Amino acid sequence: MQVIVTFLMAVLIVISIIPVSFSQSTLIQDEFLQIQTENCTDGWYVTGYFLPLEIEYFSNVTPINIDGKWYGFPIDFLNEIKIQGWGKTVSGDFLGWDEQKFYFNSVPLDAYDNELIIGTVAVDPEIIKMNSKITIPNSPSPWNKITFNSNDVGPAIIGKHIDVYTGVGLDARKEAFRITGND
């Protein structure tokens, strides 16, 4: 019995040390990525975008046709999707808006058909190269410590404008508004 207790204590000690080592390694890697990025300049406009959840919208329902089938969604939910690009339906599908029409997908996609994840930013590729690693140190915490991937674009992202994907739902919407600002 004492051997088992001693063994379990040793395992717990080893497990508690592993995350500390991993965190230190990650910090060093993040510092390296920040060193590799260009210095900040003035005149940037940072905005946020998010995915609305259908369950959080309560306006009148309107019909829309997708691939010959009719569906009903709250009008304010559809309007938000037209601004944000995607929304998550009650059924769990993602409803997208592109080229003046709605469509379904199992995951939300960026402009290059990659899954949209937190850490994605939309940029003007004339200003920031696609797939660059960038930080936004003047953003509020925790966004100021994230290394973002510039792998999305948008029609309103022109010049020194970065649009940060903040997640799904009303909390993500609050974050999108919280990080919006100049310089």
Side-chain angles (χ1 to χ4, degrees):
M1 181 70 167
Q2 187 176 14
V3 172
I4 293 173
V5 170
T6 304
F7 174 76
L8 289 175
M9 292 295 286
V11 168
L12 287 173
I13 290 170
V14 168
I15 289 173
S16 68
I17 292 172
I18 290 172
V20 170
S21 299
F22 180 76
S23 296
Q24 289 170 345
S25 171
T26 302
L27 263 175
I28 292 167
Q29 184 179 17
D30 285 350
E31 288 171 5
F32 175 76
L33 288 173
Q34 290 175 5
I35 290 168
Q36 296 300 313
T37 59
E38 294 182 25
N39 291 333
C40 294
T41 58
D42 291 333
W44 286 90
Y45 180 50
V46 177
T47 54
Y49 66 110
F50 71 101
L51 272 62
L53 287 171
E54 178 185 5
I55 197 166
E56 296 173 337
Y57 292 80
F58 305 103
S59 66
N60 291 333
V61 172
T62 190
I64 61 170
N65 190 301
I66 302 174
D67 297 327
K69 293 184 180 178
W70 289 96
Y71 301 88
F73 295 101
I75 294 169
D76 53 352
F77 174 65
L78 295 175
N79 288 337
E80 194 71 66
I81 291 172
K82 287 180 179 180
I83 295 167
Q84 305 301 329
W86 288 96
K88 189 170 185 180
T89 67
V90 172
S91 67
D93 292 321
F94 289 90
L95 184 61
W97 174 256
D98 192 29
E99 298 181 9
Q100 303 299 308
K101 65 179 181 176
F102 288 103
Y103 60 99
F104 287 115
N105 202 40
S106 59
V107 296
L109 302 173
D110 65 21
Y112 297 101
D113 291 334
N114 299 306
E115 184 174 356
L116 189 58
I117 58 171
I118 292 180
T120 296
V121 292
V123 298
D124 181 340
E126 297 288 322
I127 305 296
I128 297 176
K129 291 180 185 175
M130 296 310 298
N131 299 312
S132 294
K133 305 287 187 201
I134 63 170
T135 59
I136 309 170
N138 291 345
S139 293
S141 185
W143 305 101
N144 60 341
K145 294 183 175 34
I146 295 175
T147 300
F148 296 99
N149 296 311
S150 63
N151 51 2
D152 200 4
V153 296
I157 312 305
I158 300 168
K160 294 174 91 173
H161 182 177
I162 298 173
D163 201 16
V164 178
Y165 174 63
T166 59
V168 180
L170 290 178
D171 287 339
R173 181 177 188 257
K174 289 176 190 171
E175 286 299 298
F177 286 120
R178 192 170 74 91
I179 65 171
T180 296
N182 291 304
D183 292 331

